[in-house]
Amino acid sequence: LAVQESTTKRSRENKAFAPGEKLTFSVEWMAINGGTATIEDREIVSLNGRLCHRIVARAVSSPFFSTFFKVEDEIQSFMDVEGIFTWRYEKRLREGGYKADTFITYDQFRHKAYENEKVTDIPPEVQDVMSCFFFYRTLPVELGKDAVIKTNADGKNWELQVKVLR
């Protein structure tokens, strides 16, 4: 994918997150630690001439659970620093004997998503399923005011509606 040198249509101020942020969660099943999940903004990288946040989410089963059902999942999103939208999405699932990999490249200038041989038209400045969480954090949050985030996954476009309840 050759990305044009021009700037994006959107520039969004980001005071919500930065490289080095890491959230760690304990995954529980019937009061037993089943593993851990992390989401982190690892670093700023250059992807096809654009500076991007490299967002990484991992889920790993505990040693006990791994003896009968091992999980080692990783998702990466490469999100434009200037516009806070996705350029690339990678998902590697390893769950028991199941394995699946997904790689999507987003051409935000031509409004196309490329997944294997499939090409999908996308709306301008679309998000992948990981970047939408980080994008939402840059929006003003008001009680009772909904946000709609243009999202693409599995060859489909949809609008993620976020309701602020309290």
Side-chain angles (χ1 to χ4, degrees), residues 19-88:
E21 175 183 277
K22 183 176 183 178
L23 305 172
T24 303
F25 305 91
S26 176
V27 178
E28 306 269 326
W29 182 73
M30 298 181 65
I32 300 170
N33 181 344
T36 58
T38 59
I39 302 172
E40 65 181 306
D41 184 347
R42 283 215 180 141
E43 61 191 332
I44 302 292
V45 297
S46 179
L47 181 67
N48 296 320
R50 301 292 302 191
L51 291 179
C52 296
H53 291 270
R54 182 173 160 239
I55 307 296
V56 180
R58 289 186 41 83
V60 179
S61 54
S62 68
F64 171 73
F65 269 87
S66 291
T67 60
F68 55 91
F69 192 79
K70 186 174 184 176
V71 173
E72 289 184 346
D73 294 345
E74 182 174 279
I75 296 172
Q76 293 191 57
S77 176
F78 295 84
M79 188 174 49
D80 194 83
V81 168
E82 180 184 345
I84 313 295
F85 51 75
T86 188
W87 286 108
R88 184 161 172 81

Side-chain angles (χ1 to χ4, degrees), residues 106 113 120 122 126-129 150-153 155-158:
Y106 295 91
T120 305
I122 58 172
V126 74
Q127 303 297 324
D128 63 53
V129 294
K150 297 175 285 184
T151 308
N152 173 272
K156 297 178 182 159
N157 297 309
W158 44 280

